[in-house]
Amino acid sequence: MAHIMFSPPYIAAAQAARSLREHGYAVLQPEDFAQWLGLGLDDLQAMDADWQGLPPDAFLKDGGRYRRRRHSCFVAQADALEQVPHRAHWQPVEYNALHGGMQRLFDPMLPTTVQSPAWSRMLQALAQLSDQVFCAPGQTQRWFVEAHQFRIDTTDGIGRPTPEGAHRDGVDLVVVILVGRKGVKGGETRVFEAAGPSGQRFTLTEPWSVMLLDDARMIHETTPIQPVQPGGVRDTLVLTYRRGGFQGA
């Protein structure tokens, strides 16, 4: 049986803030995303190597061995970025029924990535976007950013990008960036209104394509992946922006 994929509903990056306000989500093409950041696509792709050696996720409660990750935290503004001391990732069970309520301390991201100019530019530009979407005109915020590097592999036959199922994250803005995928099928992204009937389904296949979500309005999930050749993987970067502080127990 042929595997059917739906194309992403790309929009121009310049329309991202408007789309987030009106529809609760936006999906951007790689080249347009890079240009919007004031970067070349090769500047973003230079970070790809950091996904090759991610350590295993030791906290998977379903017993799986399919996820590897790193995690670091930052405070971002449109004109400033600061990495904060390494801290555990925590979510309430209301947002993550599988792993909520756990203090999960992952290995931090590597300095080669978080100290790069492209990294700073990306996080600051997304802080500025968050200001445009979630603040009154002319106002700005300090955004508490959690960065998650994920590799989902298919060594055991199946990998689950979102083992917790369809969910929200308890933040303001969620940014899901496809860093790469190789030798897999599946991995369909699904987004639904939290308080309405509308939804979208599509598959991100282009490296450094981006999905942006208003987390209060949208529920999201990604379907499992399966190998079509040995060593199949799906790499993503997930950034969450939250006002007022990091989530904590």
Side-chain angles (χ1 to χ4, degrees):
M1 181 181 295
H3 182 66
I4 299 174
M5 293 196 302
F6 296 91
S7 298
Y10 290 130
I11 64 165
Q15 299 300 315
R18 179 178 177 179
S19 184
L20 281 163
R21 287 192 295 262
E22 293 183 356
H23 306 295
Y25 70 94
V27 188
L28 312 180
Q29 289 182 304
E31 295 83 359
D32 194 25
F33 177 59
Q35 185 177 23
W36 177 75
L37 296 175
L39 300 170
L41 186 55
D42 57 340
D43 295 319
L44 298 174
Q45 293 171 337
M47 292 187 274
D48 289 2
D50 203 357
W51 271 257
Q52 304 307 313
L54 296 180
D57 183 338
F59 296 93
L60 282 171
K61 291 180 70 175
D62 64 1
R65 301 181 299 172
Y66 52 82
R67 185 159 75 181
R68 295 173 174 270
R69 70 191 295 179
R70 290 183 183 272
H71 168 253
S72 289
C73 295
F74 306 82
V75 176
Q77 296 173 271
D79 58 355
L81 179 68
E82 174 190 2
Q83 185 172 4
V84 304
H86 194 51
R87 62 191 306 278
H89 176 54
W90 185 89
Q91 293 175 293
V93 293
E94 290 82 1
Y95 292 112
N96 189 328
L98 184 61
H99 297 114
M102 300 172 61
Q103 293 282 356
R104 292 182 284 167
L105 186 63
F106 302 105
D107 287 359
M109 295 179 64
L110 299 179
T112 51
T113 294
V114 301
Q115 294 175 7
S116 70
W119 180 260
S120 298
R121 179 62 194 141
M122 179 169 60
L123 266 63
Q124 289 172 233
L126 290 167
Q128 184 177 27
L129 176 66
S130 299
D131 287 338
Q132 295 171 8
V133 175
F134 301 107
C135 297
Q139 293 186 348
T140 62
Q141 284 276 347
R142 297 174 72 239
W143 294 97
F144 294 82
V145 183
E146 296 199 45
H148 306 262
Q149 293 175 292
F150 291 105
R151 166 162 284 190
I152 307 299
D153 69 43
T154 55
T155 301
D156 292 334
I158 193 169
R160 295 178 173 85
T162 53
E164 64 271 38
H167 66 283
R168 289 160 54 202
D169 288 327
V171 298
D172 291 291
L173 179 71
V174 175
V175 184
V176 180
I177 301 173
L178 179 73
V179 174
R181 56 180 282 157
K182 176 183 177 182
V184 299
K185 63 181 179 179
E188 180 180 270
T189 296
R190 298 175 178 177
V191 296
F192 311 93
E193 290 181 340
S198 297
Q200 283 274 2
R201 55 190 295 194
F202 52 88
T203 303
L204 297 175
T205 59
E206 295 184 85
W208 291 94
S209 50
V210 182
M211 178 179 69
L212 305 160
L213 295 173
D214 179 341
D215 187 61
R217 295 173 57 188
M218 307 301 294
I219 297 170
H220 66 281
E221 67 176 335
T222 301
T223 63
I225 59 172
Q226 295 177 282
V228 295
Q229 64 186 51
V233 297
R234 182 178 185 268
D235 294 340
T236 56
L237 171 66
V238 176
L239 305 169
T240 62
Y241 282 66
R242 188 172 189 267
R243 289 171 284 189
F246 297 107
Q247 293 189 94

